[in-house]
Amino acid sequence: MTTTRPQLPLGALNTASRVGLIYMASSTLMEAEMYAMATPSVTVHTSRVTLPKVTVDGIDAMMRSPELRQAADLVSQAPLDVLLFGGTSASFLHGTAWDRELSATLTSWTGLTGRCTTTSTASIAALRAVDAGPITLVTPYRQEVVDRAARFFGENGHPVVSSTALGITDDHALAEVPLERVYDLAVKADTPQAGAVFISCTNLASVGAVAALEDALGKPVVSAVQASFWYCLRLAGIAAAKPGFGSLFERTGTVGSHS
């Protein structure tokens, strides 16, 4: 008697493309949002670093800590296709040169030439991909961090014409902001002068609101987590996003099969 083996839906996980992620130890949302967007063709593997506080001084202390090298060394022991530093403010903190140097440093530590990136690099690439121009910037940060963000995006061709600053400095509190509030913040902050909306922070709920915001505002909406995942797919050369997470994926052919 012969039998036909059924299709096994998770049978390809051991051959999936692997994204390495360096993420804040106190943060909780980025992995969950990446998996919400991902097909089984891609998996996420995380190392973590301590973020004392979501202020300029706290972020700076994290980025200068030896933990960053330790995190890179640990996660890169897995066979990775891409390595991402998954912090927006941490990678734009001191401007474009700082962001590029961070990618170069990760490359030197891991040997993943051409395959190390940051959320800020990914965000600029995503805004360019949707022809954003000037942007509305939605953030939960203190104003001192928003000012750094505005400088970074402005020097990369995306001047900030409107922004939010919730003043949150506790990382756990960032993750507790309801997605509905993020949606309302974006709608309220947006202005006709902005060609797109950018939602910053990888520990702020965002990807579940992107498509609805695009429908409501009639323009592209990019979030830090969405852009990070999208750019990792581009670097890995795979289409592995589920549909329904914004025009960024649709425009660039990175939506993949559900199987």
Side-chain angles (χ1 to χ4, degrees), residues 14 16-20 43 45 74-82 112 115:
N14 58 329
S17 295
R18 300 181 186 95
V19 173
T43 54
H45 310 268
L74 286 170
V75 75
S76 63
Q77 290 181 37
L80 298 176
D81 293 280
V82 180
L112 294 167
R115 293 180 288 156

Side-chain angles (χ1 to χ4, degrees), residues 33 138 166 175-188 199 204-210 212-213:
E33 291 206 330
V138 178
L166 294 181
E176 293 168 359
V177 177
L179 183 62
E180 293 79 6
R181 188 180 184 197
V182 176
Y183 177 96
D184 292 342
L185 284 169
V187 170
K188 184 177 180 180
I199 304 172
L204 180 70
S206 63
V207 302
V210 167
L213 282 168

Side-chain angles (χ1 to χ4, degrees), residues 88-89 138 140-141 171 174 198-206 224-225:
T88 328
S89 56
V138 178
Y141 309 132
D171 199 26
L174 291 176
F198 181 74
I199 304 172
S200 191
C201 185
T202 58
N203 200 32
L204 180 70
S206 63
V225 176

